[in-house]
Amino acid sequence: LLQSNYKVVVLDNLVNSSESSIRRVEEISGRRIEFFKGDIRDYNFLDGVFSSQKFDAVLHFAGLKAVGEAINEPIKYYENNVLGSIQLFKVMQKYNTKSIIFSSSATVYGNSNNSPLKEDMPTGIPTNPYGRSKLVIENILADLYVSDPQWCITSLRYFNPVGAHKSGLIGEDPRGLPNNLLPFISQTAVGIHEKMFVFGNDYDTPDGTGIRDYIHVMDLASGHIRALEKYISKGGVHTINLGTGIGHSVLEVIHAFETVSAKTIPYDIIDRRPGDVGVCYADPSKANLELDWVANRGLIEMCKDTWRWQSQKLLL
């Protein structure tokens, strides 16, 4: 956004992040970010920010996203993701900021649709509270548009974002045991964890491990820019998959990372996680056509950038 000459204001409660990321983005872009620390569930905090600024659009990323944690702590997920979103939408409505890009998820398709997943497929029953919270928010946004057609709503259904900025200055740095595959692999590679866990090897896939559509975070970022340019003043409700259209198994990703890093990644195969599906990958043709957007970075580049971030991070 900064490199495309947008003025950016960031709101974050830093529950799973660090203010140092803001400083590093400023270093990379050579531009300043106005940062407000606070919680999306706090209406008064949001109202204070909106009263002091004039926004053309909101990009809403403020969601908890770990499937396992969501199953164990569903109220936490509904409170943060759904209640927090409602508070945000109320404030946006008050200040007549009615253009939003929402971080949704491929989990809204449930497990009743076969991959490749297309936007015109019916949303299913998501297999976990995280996915259900995303679907609830999509439905709230659709209802908002029905009540007031001045809204411009874009839900970007992410598949599996991975990778890091090519500079190695910013990347994924989860607290505690990672809930996502690439950080678990990369942290194991540098010895933070003795070994990693593969959840199930009895899926109906070539090597028995789950297949996912991994998308480089920089391709994901460019998808947001294209969506903002395309839809910011167009009105309507737009739903777009952001994925590569290619599925990779867990073991395939581990072996690709071993090739890139020249490290052996020890792993144990354990039981499947509740709420996981066997195969999930996108049909990205709508994004290709409507947004003139294509995911250009493949698995090796995803692993290289993740490894650069993880290994360089130890030296920073």
Side-chain angles (χ1 to χ4, degrees), residues 31-269:
R31 299 274 304 277
R32 182 178 171 275
I33 299 171
E34 193 157 1
F35 174 63
F36 293 89
K37 182 180 178 183
D39 198 292
I40 193 175
R41 295 166 291 183
D42 184 343
Y43 179 89
N44 291 332
F45 161 70
L46 294 173
D47 188 71
V49 174
F50 274 74
S51 68
S52 68
Q53 309 278 333
K54 174 68 176 75
F55 297 114
D56 297 306
V58 170
L59 280 71
H60 176 20
F61 307 100
L64 301 174
K65 66 178 183 65
V67 170
E69 182 184 59
I71 290 169
N72 292 327
E73 301 183 68
I75 290 175
K76 177 179 176 180
Y77 272 66
Y78 288 118
E79 181 184 36
N80 185 88
N81 295 5
V82 179
L83 177 60
S85 295
I86 290 171
Q87 301 292 60
L88 174 63
F89 304 155
K90 283 162 60 178
V91 172
M92 290 177 66
Q93 204 163 33
K94 176 179 176 180
Y95 288 93
N96 202 36
T97 303
K98 295 181 178 178
S99 184
I100 184 167
I101 295 178
F102 169 57
S103 300
S104 191
S105 166
T107 57
V108 302
Y109 291 108
N111 59 4
S112 57
N113 295 304
N114 292 324
S115 292
L117 299 169
K118 300 185 69 169
E119 294 88 346
D120 59 3
M121 289 178 170
T123 50
I125 300 173
T127 56
N128 57 74
Y130 159 70
R132 286 191 281 276
S133 76
K134 292 291 186 182
L135 184 55
V136 168
I137 298 164
E138 280 198 19
N139 290 334
I140 291 170
L141 285 167
D143 289 339
L144 257 183
Y145 176 74
V146 170
S147 73
D148 180 359
Q150 289 187 343
W151 280 87
C152 178
I153 292 160
T154 306
S155 291
L156 298 179
R157 291 176 177 167
Y158 299 1
F159 279 69
N160 288 69
V162 298
H165 191 269
K166 63 183 178 181
S167 66
L169 285 174
I170 51 174
E172 197 169 3
D173 188 27
R175 297 179 181 178
L177 198 65
N179 288 291
N180 298 103
L181 180 61
L182 252 293
F184 207 166
I185 293 174
S186 63
Q187 288 186 6
T188 304
V190 294
I192 294 173
H193 310 292
E194 181 182 339
K195 60 187 174 183
M196 61 168 293
F197 302 109
V198 175
F199 297 98
N201 67 342
D202 56 350
Y203 289 103
D204 186 15
T205 62
D207 64 20
T209 63
I211 287 176
R212 295 290 182 272
D213 186 336
Y214 296 94
I215 174 173
H216 196 295
V217 67
M218 297 305 295
D219 283 330
L220 191 77
S222 70
H224 288 74
I225 304 295
R226 298 295 296 130
L228 193 60
E229 293 169 346
K230 176 83 174 183
Y231 298 131
I232 188 170
S233 58
K234 192 172 184 178
V237 178
H238 311 278
T239 304
I240 300 282
N241 286 339
L242 290 184
T244 65
I246 300 168
H248 296 287
S249 75
V250 173
L251 292 182
E252 192 179 349
V253 176
I254 290 173
H255 297 324
F257 198 92
E258 288 178 326
T259 298
V260 163
S261 65
K263 299 279 187 180
T264 298
I265 311 296
Y267 63 85
D268 281 346
I269 294 171

Side-chain angles (χ1 to χ4, degrees), residues 23-35:
R23 306 287 80 84
R24 292 181 186 191
V25 170
E26 291 178 329
E27 181 182 342
I28 290 166
S29 66
R31 299 274 304 277
R32 182 178 171 275
I33 299 171
E34 193 157 1
F35 174 63

